[in-house]
Amino acid sequence: MEDDIAKVIISSGEIAERVSAMADEMVQTYGQPDEGITIVTVLAGSLVFLSDLIRRLPLRMRIALVTASSYAGKATTAGKIHLESTTLPDLRNRNVLIVDDIVETGGTLRLVQAAVRRLCPRRIRTAVLLRKTTKAPSDVPIDFVGFDIGDDFVVGYGLDYDGLYRNLPFIAVLKPEMYNAESAL
Ligand code: 5GP
Ligand code: MG
């Protein structure tokens, strides 16, 4: 697997440090008094980020999961986005924190924010580990950002290409030939 990587762009140590700092910001925002939050996480890319983040958040919380997909199969450019699971819990008057792995065009988060908004929460905030600055839209508010990155398609720390590489502990760019490789299956 490591042979497929062209370049590590964010190391596991840098991620750990930044996730800690993001958790501290969130504790500042929600902690005194402990208002209680409901985290709405966008699967599957956010699962590693979520699991590291929540263990650094000493807050009362519930966790809800939604699945969104815009990159079908091997695509590295987004197609039409849909929410595949919209079984959100009762969010009326709740403090909602939406957690996603990466924002690019903002299409996914726009959809998730709208779905949450329909359930009349008290307040919605959004956190992403990565933001592609060149495309980040101004109409999708993001309150907590881990790292601003360039335009490259990245994998690792939860992010996949064709379902693979989510377990890499760092964020990396694959060798160009990997994005075009025919599946061995
Ligand atoms: P957006 O809807 O903001 O254009 O794209 C967000 C979604 O596209 C992310 O939640 C993620 O699933 C996927 N995505 C965008 N850029 C990348 C990338 O560089 N690598 C991977 N693995 N997924 C990406
Ligand atoms: Mg995603």
Side-chain angles (χ1 to χ4, degrees):
M1 189 171 60
E2 308 250 338
D3 287 347
D4 303 350
I5 293 160
K7 191 171 148 207
V8 173
I9 62 166
I10 308 172
S11 71
S12 62
E14 288 170 318
I15 296 171
E17 212 171 283
R18 186 67 195 121
V19 171
S20 247
M22 291 179 83
D24 290 346
E25 282 176 50
M26 290 168 185
V27 169
Q28 290 291 323
T29 302
Y30 295 113
Q32 282 172 344
D34 185 347
E35 299 175 42
I37 55 176
T38 300
I39 292 184
V40 173
T41 293
V42 188
L43 291 176
S46 305
L47 66 90
V48 180
F49 176 40
L50 177 81
S51 69
D52 281 348
L53 182 68
I54 57 176
R55 285 175 292 168
R56 296 182 184 283
L57 287 177
L59 302 171
R60 290 170 64 82
M61 68 170 69
R62 294 189 172 89
I63 299 169
L65 309 172
V66 292
T67 305
S69 71
S70 55
Y71 285 36
K74 294 180 147 196
T76 56
T77 51
K80 190 169 160 39
I81 304 155
H82 46 272
L83 286 189
E84 285 166 5
S85 159
T86 49
T87 47
L88 287 168
D90 183 12
L91 297 178
R92 186 170 293 275
N93 290 326
R94 304 257 185 233
N95 242 333
V96 173
L97 176 64
I98 297 170
V99 173
D100 204 357
D101 48 3
I102 182 166
V103 60
E104 185 177 22
T105 65
T108 306
L109 280 173
R110 189 180 290 113
L111 220 73
V112 175
Q113 289 178 347
V116 168
R117 202 177 299 118
R118 281 196 288 277
L119 300 175
C120 307
R122 173 148 44 109
R123 173 89 202 237
I124 304 173
R125 290 188 179 87
T126 300
V128 296
L129 181 68
L130 305 172
R131 175 170 63 186
K132 289 189 175 171
T133 42
T134 51
K135 294 183 189 166
S138 56
D139 69 310
V140 180
I142 312 282
D143 304 276
F144 306 96
V145 178
F147 300 91
D148 279 314
I149 62 168
D151 240 356
D152 289 333
F153 189 86
V154 295
V155 298
Y157 199 71
L159 291 144
D160 75 307
Y161 172 63
D162 195 22
L164 296 171
Y165 308 107
R166 294 193 197 277
N167 56 321
L168 291 172
F170 43 73
I171 304 284
V173 179
L174 294 178
K175 290 178 179 162
E177 62 267 29
M178 299 315 303
Y179 294 120
N180 305 313
E182 277 305 308
S183 170
L185 296 175

